[in-house]
Amino acid sequence: MDLLLFCAVHFCFLIPQSICNFHEAHMFFYGLFEIVHERNNCKALTRGWMEQKWMNRAIELAENGMKAGHGGPFGCVVVKNGELLAEGHNEVILSNDPTSHAEIVAIRKACKKLNSFQLSGCDIYASCEPCPMCLGAIYWARPERVFFAANRKDAARIGFDDEFIYEELQIDPGSRSIPMIFTDNRKALELFKKWADKEDKTEY
């Protein structure tokens, strides 16, 4: 219940019967609900305006990076408590790094700024729906929410088709277009056991 409404309901019980008949109470609560309704509408409008503000910034970053020749038209912003935490655009060409997608760049900056490997309480604004790689990074970073503008089909129409990666994930590793070959080596499992037994490990 809205705090204003909660206080008013409890206050009403304190009003003497002689000065608060049914009609007066009805008018009082009608006016009160109007105030609460308008205030909630105002909050929604403010929230929507802020979301649009950060998305516009992500799109602006995408365009700036594209014009600079740094990579594809993708931008990302990380926000915490309504404040800009970090931002980035696609830098694949600039850094010769295929993992330098906008979301990865922004997540790395944000985590460094927070001195944490998780983005608890943060919102991510991406100019386009995250690709499978970025989606994985987002789940590992654990933000609160992710907003995106264009979707994967929009990206596919301009040459950034991630659909085949989603399809590859459904195929047996050895049958993928880039074969994933299992090599039986017990040392890997022994190392996993050492991690499981490690008492001072930081889990994530």
Side-chain angles (χ1 to χ4, degrees):
M1 181 184 292
D2 186 279
L3 180 60
L4 176 61
L5 182 58
F6 176 83
C7 293
V9 170
H10 284 73
F11 175 74
C12 192
F13 285 105
L14 302 177
I15 301 176
Q17 183 71 25
S18 60
I19 63 172
C20 185
N21 59 35
F22 177 80
H23 177 71
E24 290 171 343
H26 173 78
M27 296 304 296
F28 171 77
F29 278 107
Y30 178 81
L32 183 62
F33 277 112
E34 285 292 306
I35 293 172
V36 171
H37 178 70
E38 289 300 320
R39 205 171 78 173
N40 288 339
N41 282 344
C42 184
K43 287 180 181 178
L45 287 172
T46 300
R47 185 168 57 251
W49 178 83
M50 291 299 291
E51 291 171 358
Q52 195 62 47
K53 169 189 173 182
W54 297 124
M55 186 58 72
N56 285 341
R57 177 56 182 164
I59 295 171
E60 180 182 18
L61 289 165
E63 185 170 10
N64 290 344
M66 179 189 69
K67 288 181 177 178
H70 292 175
F74 305 98
C76 182
V77 171
V78 180
V79 176
K80 185 168 187 178
N81 298 325
E83 299 292 332
L84 175 66
L85 181 62
E87 59 185 27
H89 60 260
N90 187 291
E91 298 180 2
V92 170
I93 297 173
L94 174 68
S95 61
N96 289 320
D97 180 356
T99 70
S100 289
H101 288 198
E103 295 92 332
I104 302 295
V105 172
I107 287 173
R108 286 172 176 166
K109 290 180 179 179
C111 287
K112 185 175 181 179
K113 193 169 183 179
L114 290 174
N115 193 31
S116 172
F117 48 76
Q118 292 189 353
L119 298 179
S120 302
C122 295
D123 287 336
I124 291 179
Y125 292 83
S127 62
C128 183
E129 181 180 358
C131 74
M133 176 185 70
C134 294
L135 185 63
I138 287 169
Y139 272 98
W140 280 112
R142 297 182 177 89
E144 191 76 20
R145 299 176 298 179
V146 178
F147 298 85
F148 63 91
N151 61 39
R152 69 173 80 167
K153 293 181 180 179
D154 298 320
R157 280 192 282 269
I158 61 169
F160 296 94
D161 191 356
D162 298 323
E163 193 60 38
F164 82 97
I165 300 179
Y166 289 100
E167 293 172 355
E168 289 278 291
L169 293 174
Q170 307 302 317
I171 301 174
D172 181 83
S175 301
R176 292 171 181 164
S177 59
I178 300 178
M180 308 289 171
I181 303 166
F182 172 70
T183 303
D184 189 6
N185 192 322
R186 296 300 173 184
K187 290 183 179 180
L189 295 181
E190 290 172 5
L191 180 58
F192 277 9
K193 186 177 186 309
K194 289 179 181 179
W195 170 261
D197 295 338
K198 184 177 170 61
E199 295 182 356
D200 61 343
K201 63 177 175 284
T202 300
E203 295 186 352
Y204 59 94

